[in-house]
Amino acid sequence: MKRIVGVGAEHRAVDIHKTINIAAPVEKVFEFWNNFQNFPKFMSNVRDVQMQVENRSHWIVSGPAGVPVEWDAEITERIPNKTIAWKTVPGATVEHAGIVRFDPNPDGTTRVEIRMSYNPPAGAIGHVVAAVFGADPKSEMDADLARMKTLIETGIRPHDAAAA
């Protein structure tokens, strides 16, 4: 019940796990991902990301019906060319945490694995309501990762990113 209504669910209301291979060396992929200000270049709903201090960032995204949603997040682990992990700071509008792993493939490409858990406002019910308004995070992440892959591999900025 906690996961459905979002009360006391912490970061476990909705889980997302995605993997993608990118035709670029792990150093290039990690460097691109590690610069959070790149995110509006490939993510459709990320309007702006500003670094506040070394391990803390401020995010502005388009929420359901285009309403801006803001939060602060902190890096909890950063291992160059291997891992970036984060969590939102206490009191964030959308509580979430995640980890991205970067693994070099034998052919020189990079395997990127993303695991994220988030607790939308009103828990899983809020997730369903958001989906009705066109904000399905799992499908959006697929599209965002495809845009990131294209951007890193070709250098061409997607026309449907927030900062196109």
Side-chain angles (χ1 to χ4, degrees):
M1 187 59 148
K2 288 180 182 180
R3 288 173 62 104
I4 292 173
V5 298
V7 178
E10 298 176 354
H11 297 293
R12 303 290 304 164
V14 178
D15 295 319
I16 299 173
H17 180 206
K18 302 287 181 180
T19 302
I20 190 167
N21 285 294
I22 300 173
V26 71
E27 297 83 7
K28 180 177 180 181
V29 177
F30 180 88
E31 179 182 332
F32 182 86
W33 191 284
N34 192 44
N35 181 355
F36 304 137
Q37 292 171 321
N38 282 329
F39 281 48
K41 296 177 184 176
F42 69 90
M43 297 188 88
S44 61
N45 289 319
V46 176
R47 293 183 182 177
D48 189 39
V49 182
Q50 294 296 319
M51 295 308 297
Q52 295 178 327
V53 292
E54 183 178 337
N55 288 323
R56 192 173 220 174
S57 53
H58 182 77
W59 295 70
I60 303 173
V61 302
S62 295
V67 175
V69 178
E70 300 184 35
W71 67 78
D72 291 337
E74 62 185 2
I75 297 297
T76 57
E77 181 179 30
R78 180 183 286 128
I79 302 170
N81 304 323
K82 297 220 179 282
T83 304
I84 299 173
W86 75 93
K87 68 177 180 178
T88 52
V89 299
T93 306
V94 179
E95 296 177 347
H96 64 278
I99 187 165
V100 181
R101 297 188 194 284
F102 305 85
D103 294 307
N105 292 319
D107 64 357
T109 62
T110 302
R111 179 178 184 266
V112 179
E113 178 184 10
I114 301 112
R115 289 187 177 271
M116 185 173 83
S117 297
Y118 78 101
N119 190 18
I125 291 172
H127 179 69
V128 171
V129 170
V132 169
F133 290 99
D136 175 11
K138 292 180 181 183
S139 296
E140 286 181 15
M141 183 174 280
D142 286 339
D144 289 341
L145 291 175
R147 282 190 291 275
M148 178 194 65
K149 175 181 173 67
T150 299
L151 179 57
I152 291 173
E153 291 177 354
T154 68
I156 298 170
R157 186 180 279 185
H159 70 284
D160 54 350

